[in-house]
Amino acid sequence: MSITSPPKISPPAAAVEQPRDRSRRRCRRSVAGLLFALPALVLLGVFHIWASLFNIAMSLTDWSLGGASFVGLRNYAALLTGSEFRNSLMVTLFFVVGTVPVTILIGLPIAYALQYRLARFHLYRVLVFTPYVVPTVASAMIWSVIFGSNPGSLANWILSWFGAGPRQWLVDGTGVINVVLHPIGVQLPGVLAGPSVALTVTMVAQIWHMLGFTVIVLLSGLTGIGEDVREAARVDGAGEFRVLRSVVVPLLSPTILFLAVISLIFAVREFNLIYVLTGGGPLGSSETLSMLMVRQFYQDNELGRGATTGTFLAVTVAVLTLLQFWISRRRVHYE
């Protein structure tokens, strides 16, 4: 008697999904994704897009506490031809040039040493990064004590070692180049005199504050550079400085570009540090475009002029950022 195997029962065929069902499922997924993104979209729309459009609309009006009237591009013409704007533009240029490249140049060797020479000593990384986490108002108060006007301040005490008298650092509008050339009797006019002493102090404070951020970002870029690359350069006879300049810096060019863009934005919009240290003085020698904008809004009650300055500031940052990307497009080495 032969035993026959039971017949195989094939599983039911999977139901074919109809196009209508697929569209409904995609719609449900889209709605769910939109609901998750809705809070961020609301914040972006209200505080960025709508606020920017409203600011542009304000810049086309003569807006004050008494009311508003449409004036077209008259505010922009008055801004570009005004002496206050030219002064603030030059002060902002001094501040950016004196802080952004200097911070990166100082941060590069520090990050290199922390990565390859002091890698086991994590305390140094904490100490370098600490100034960045200090609030800008608190750091400004620290620097106002260091560069105080009294003879006992730290800066004046150091000057006394060289036989120099105390200086009124934060209220000194003299160009720093003229201060250096004063012993030989040379005085340069206008822009050639360089940034004022008060602005130079704010630049030093800005460099101190941003150095920790710069070093940490550079350290993150250095972790992507293999040790074999540096060893190959040493085999060819390159010293540490040559390795840093000819090997590490080219490979870090994307990181340096990122730092240049971010630091530029931070420097152009910096307000707290300058406001606490100098308040834009003396005589506007440390009044950047952001300081000018706030003064027009809250002191002069010229809301239209302030909106014009803010719009120009935003456009300037965007243009400079695009220019940095365009210049570095052929020089940056991407892996």
Side-chain angles (χ1 to χ4, degrees):
M1 180 177 180
S2 61
I3 301 175
T4 59
S5 58
K8 296 181 180 180
I9 301 176
S10 58
V16 179
E17 188 178 20
Q18 299 298 325
R20 181 180 300 177
D21 297 332
R22 287 198 300 266
S23 63
R24 288 177 180 176
R25 188 171 59 183
R26 284 197 299 265
C27 182
R28 286 195 298 267
R29 290 178 179 177
S30 300
V31 172
L34 183 61
L35 290 176
F36 279 114
L38 186 60
L41 292 176
V42 170
L43 292 176
L44 181 65
V46 173
F47 294 102
H48 289 271
I49 299 176
W50 181 83
S52 300
L53 295 177
F54 186 75
N55 185 81
I56 295 174
M58 285 181 61
S59 68
L60 302 177
T61 64
D62 183 10
W63 194 310
S64 63
L65 296 180
S69 59
F70 182 78
V71 296
L73 299 177
R74 193 181 305 169
N75 285 337
Y76 290 92
L79 178 72
L80 297 177
T81 57
S83 59
E84 290 182 342
F85 167 76
R86 291 194 298 269
N87 173 73
S88 297
L89 183 62
M90 186 55 59
V91 170
T92 304
L93 181 62
F94 278 139
F95 189 77
V96 171
V97 174
T99 56
V100 175
V102 175
T103 307
I104 296 176
L105 288 176
I106 296 176
L108 268 172
I110 294 177
Y112 186 84
L114 290 176
Q115 178 68 18
Y116 300 115
R117 296 300 179 184
L118 303 172
R120 292 181 297 175
F121 302 97
H122 300 291
L123 178 62
Y124 291 108
R125 301 192 180 199
V126 175
L127 293 177
V128 170
F129 187 67
T130 298
Y132 183 71
V133 300
V134 176
T136 53
V137 174
S139 62
M141 296 299 295
I142 295 172
W143 286 100
S144 65
V145 173
I146 295 175
F147 287 93
S149 301
N150 57 306
S153 65
L154 180 60
N156 285 329
W157 180 57
I158 295 176
L159 278 183
S160 65
W161 296 354
F162 304 96
R167 297 195 67 90
Q168 307 290 322
W169 297 94
L170 299 176
V171 293
D172 191 346
T174 309
V176 68
I177 297 179
N178 281 345
V179 173
V180 175
L181 297 179
H182 179 72
I184 60 176
V186 177
Q187 295 292 291
L188 300 177
V191 179
L192 297 178
S196 66
V197 174
L199 181 62
T200 304
V201 172
T202 64
M203 290 159 58
V204 172
Q206 176 75 357
I207 293 171
W208 177 82
H209 180 71
M210 291 297 299
L211 185 61
F213 172 80
T214 302
V215 170
I216 292 299
V217 174
L218 289 173
L219 281 172
S220 67
L222 288 173
T223 56
I225 299 177
E227 183 66 23
D228 54 341
V229 178
R230 297 173 57 247
E231 289 298 332
R234 289 197 186 93
V235 170
D236 291 338
E240 287 295 330
F241 178 76
R242 185 64 182 272
V243 171
L244 174 62
R245 182 175 63 88
S246 302
V247 177
V248 175
V249 171
L251 293 176
L252 272 180
S253 51
T255 305
I256 295 175
L257 173 62
F258 167 78
L259 272 176
V261 173
I262 295 299
S263 300
L264 171 68
I265 296 173
F266 285 165
V268 170
R269 54 183 275 193
E270 181 58 49
F271 173 79
N272 292 339
L273 195 69
I274 304 173
Y275 181 78
V276 175
L277 282 174
T278 66
L283 301 176
S285 61
S286 62
E287 186 178 64
T288 59
L289 286 173
S290 59
M291 292 288 298
L292 174 63
M293 178 183 63
V294 172
R295 179 169 65 82
Q296 290 172 334
F297 265 109
Y298 296 104
Q299 295 183 14
D300 300 339
N301 293 324
E302 296 179 342
L303 278 65
R305 294 283 185 90
T308 304
T309 305
T311 303
F312 178 86
L313 191 61
V315 173
T316 301
V317 172
V319 170
L320 290 177
T321 302
L322 293 175
L323 184 62
Q324 284 181 306
F325 279 108
W326 180 76
I327 292 176
S328 60
R329 181 174 55 186
R330 297 183 178 181
R331 297 184 178 182
V332 173
H333 300 269
Y334 294 97
E335 295 181 348

